[in-house]
Amino acid sequence: MNPNGKVPAIVDHDAKDGALTLSESNAILVTSLAEKTGASPRTRGPRARRDLQWLMFQTSSIGPTFHDAYYFMALAKDRLPPAIDYFMTETTRVLTLLDTHLATHDFLADRYSIADIATLPLDPRRHRRKLPRHGRL
């Protein structure tokens, strides 16, 4: 279903033009689940830009950084200390940014949004043995 050979992938049988196969987590969130549940990102104004900013931050920083840190610490056949150090430093930087923001905000954007939904599975508490605990996260 997914040309990249990974999960997630879904088939939306309720799509207007017939069954639609989608892959990539955030594409599924934006185009299917968010629209169906009313959690779609706003489309205009500064709040809409913040919704997208945090969703793109998850896509470009949180997801890849956490994945790479976990890979080099837990899955790689050869432990490479420079790679582990680099990705742990990046993970700490990203966690610090999130923690600082969430110290004064209830959600990543101005309201509960798909940015929060996309980020929650990468919560370091779910990976206690490998990713560092950090502040309020």
Side-chain angles (χ1 to χ4, degrees), residues 90-102 134 137:
E90 279 299 293
T91 298
T92 299
R93 183 186 68 77
V94 167
L95 289 170
T96 298
L97 192 148
L98 287 170
D99 192 50
T100 299
H101 179 76
L102 291 171
H134 194 84
L137 299 174

Side-chain angles (χ1 to χ4, degrees), residues 68-69 71-74 76-88:
D68 292 345
Y71 173 80
F72 283 107
M73 289 186 308
K77 180 179 175 185
D78 298 319
R79 299 297 187 257
L80 302 172
I84 292 169
D85 291 345
Y86 173 79
F87 286 111
M88 288 309 296

